[in-house]
Amino acid sequence: MKPFVYESRAQRVLFGAGTLAQVAAEVEALGARKALVLCTPPQRAQAEQVADLLGERAAGVFDGAVMHVPMAAAREARAVAQRLGADCAVAVGGGSTIGLGKAIALDSGLPILAVPTTYAGSEMTPIYGLTDEGVKRTGRDPRVLPRTVIYDPQLSLGLPVGLSMVSGINAMAHAAEGLYADDANPVTQLMAEEGLAALGRALPAIHADSGDQQARADALYGAWLCGAVLGSVAMALHHKLCHTLGGSFNLPHAETHTIVLPHALAYNAPAAPVAMARIARALGAENAPRALHELARRHGAPVALKEIGLREEDLDRACALAMQNQYPNPRPLEAAALRRLLQNAYEGMPPSA
């Protein structure tokens, strides 16, 4: 076994059906008096339910969370929190809402309580992302890590099947890249394989029956583990490429991850055979990239970038942007090979090295 470093992160996690009822007590445990509840516009009703549970500890609801956390939205949310005297934020939703909470924490230091309703996994990471003038910038800062996370599987019962698929595969991307991360360690590798297995069995079951409560719990459990991997080790080609595509071309986050993941794995497969074997084992498959491509295709998730708004004439620019910053990756970045990867992902072809 090669030497490694594992750094644990202090978080409180409540997991189980009905745990949302404890949100007021958890805000109190943080030492907070007034919590601003964050959400996207479509989740306003869910956020108001949380505000009702908070009672006198609710400062109000801010429903301005949007994809990729534009700087303008972050500034507005910070101003609202300050105006209402909030000393805590409760982020109810997926990666966009939790990302907005992180933007507030980054600037103000306010503690965040996350209530995930999708499988993005952002709630387990100290990673933030802000988009300004068409460029998405990411970073790590311990201040943005949610102090408390409430995982209530009942909250995801209404998540549409299509969104469940792409959200779950987005989470699987965190674990898959964690298995070949430059700073991987045995602890995160165990979490990664277990997270992949949980989502690998949950997503087909949700597709068959969106009300399957055990499948919903399995998916949330898998997202927890995959998110913890993302928060503990560095990501590589897949995540860097998805941030480029999402931030620069305004593509939907989870769908982009779903489409790109099999192709990024195929690119890295020759240089990371042990990781590929572990991914395949977790999914009960022989070939990891193809298994993930088929998981998406069989269950109605998009498999082509052209399906989600990318134009073919943008591929050269996307490749150039992705090549700008070098970072640890099992296989060195090669412009011609990366351009082929993008073309295959654009057309929805099966993944190939």
Side-chain angles (χ1 to χ4, degrees), residues 72-152:
R75 292 190 187 104
E76 184 183 0
R78 290 167 186 163
V80 170
Q82 187 173 27
R83 176 169 55 82
L84 295 177
D87 56 359
C88 169
V90 176
V92 182
S96 297
T97 303
I98 294 168
L100 180 61
K102 290 178 174 184
I104 295 173
L106 183 67
D107 183 62
S108 66
L110 290 188
I112 305 300
L113 187 155
V115 184
T117 60
T118 72
Y119 310 127
S122 175
E123 65 280 354
M124 297 305 297
T125 83
I127 301 169
Y128 65 89
L130 291 165
T131 301
D132 191 25
E133 296 182 352
V135 178
K136 186 170 185 177
R137 296 179 174 86
T138 61
R140 287 177 180 255
D141 193 304
R143 291 177 296 175
V144 310
L145 182 72
R147 305 274 187 88
T148 303
V149 181
I150 294 177
Y151 285 110
D152 188 337

Side-chain angles (χ1 to χ4, degrees), residues 181-255:
D182 187 55
D183 54 352
N185 62 73
V187 178
T188 57
Q189 288 173 331
L190 285 171
M191 290 192 291
E193 194 166 344
E194 174 70 2
L196 285 165
L199 281 158
R201 63 176 177 265
L203 295 181
I206 291 170
H207 187 264
D209 177 8
S210 65
D212 186 330
Q213 296 197 40
Q214 183 58 55
R216 292 292 185 179
D218 280 347
L220 212 52
Y221 168 65
W224 171 15
L225 294 174
C226 294
V229 173
L230 174 65
S232 298
V233 300
M235 295 290 106
L237 172 64
H238 170 77
H239 282 76
K240 305 297 185 182
L241 193 53
C242 288
H243 286 157
T244 295
L245 292 168
S248 298
F249 303 98
N250 199 36
L251 300 185
H253 182 83
E255 288 85 347

